[in-house]
Amino acid sequence: MTRVSIGLVLVLLTLACSNNPLVPHPSPSPLPGVTARAVASDLFVCPGGYGWAAYGDIVYAPNDTTKPTAEVRPDRCFTSLDQASAARFHLHPPPPGGMLIETIYLVAPAPPITPICRKAARELGFTVLCPGLIPGDANSMANCDTDCIFLKALVLAFSFSGPPGYVGIPGQIGNHLFVLESRAGRDSKVGFLTCFDGRSAGDVTIRGTIGRWVTCPSNGSGMNSGHVMLVWVDGGVRYAVSLHSDTDLNRRIALAVAERLIPVTG
């Protein structure tokens, strides 16, 4: 074989190998999410828009106050729960006795509010239903001095927040929840127990009786403006759980709170 022909063979072999479809070509396969940023030697944050921080196989919502502190570096940061779930991370379970409804945790109130409920039962003269689970943090109850009784009614208020996308107070991801209890008929005289021009939005079985959903208009309804209310009467007492925005999630929260109210007498 001549020197020219040998050189030609070498060239052809080189070209054939360089275009061999059986030789794999590396392609980028980035993991979902991004890594956390170090803002100091022992402080770490997720970048803006990536507020779902994951540690191990657990991911925490941006509003979750139980997640590890900033001294602990997240293993990954995500834009949403869906993105984290696609990467096989999952939300941490609720505490013992608690509940998780989508991304909202319901926990036992702390400190316990049973003493307030017992005092209210004595003063109002009927069985008070005391919250056993509340949304958000355990200490989310608004301060109401000593008895939470206003115009012969028990008024308990709680505040909580949800992750991005949660619908609560318009323009916010937060919400408030009211538990309102009084003698039946008292609501016709005390505006904050109900809402003006409220619309019946369906019946629901609650605690063995038939209750109803009431949607309140955004204007002119006082404390319950823009709320959905779960209302029922039992033993001559009117009970209501109320929170802002009529959504399926908020109805589920209201129903869960109502089902886990604890009867308290004086």
Side-chain angles (χ1 to χ4, degrees), residues 66 92-100 104-110 131-140 158 257:
T66 67
H92 71 95
M99 289 184 64
L100 177 61
I104 305 296
Y105 291 89
L106 273 66
V107 300
L133 289 180
I134 57 174
D137 295 334
N139 61 350
S140 65
F158 306 88
V257 170

Side-chain angles (χ1 to χ4, degrees), residues 118-141:
R118 185 169 291 115
K119 187 173 186 296
R122 287 196 303 267
E123 296 192 13
L124 295 173
F126 58 74
T127 297
V128 162
L129 296 182
C130 202
L133 289 180
I134 57 174
D137 295 334
N139 61 350
S140 65
M141 180 174 161

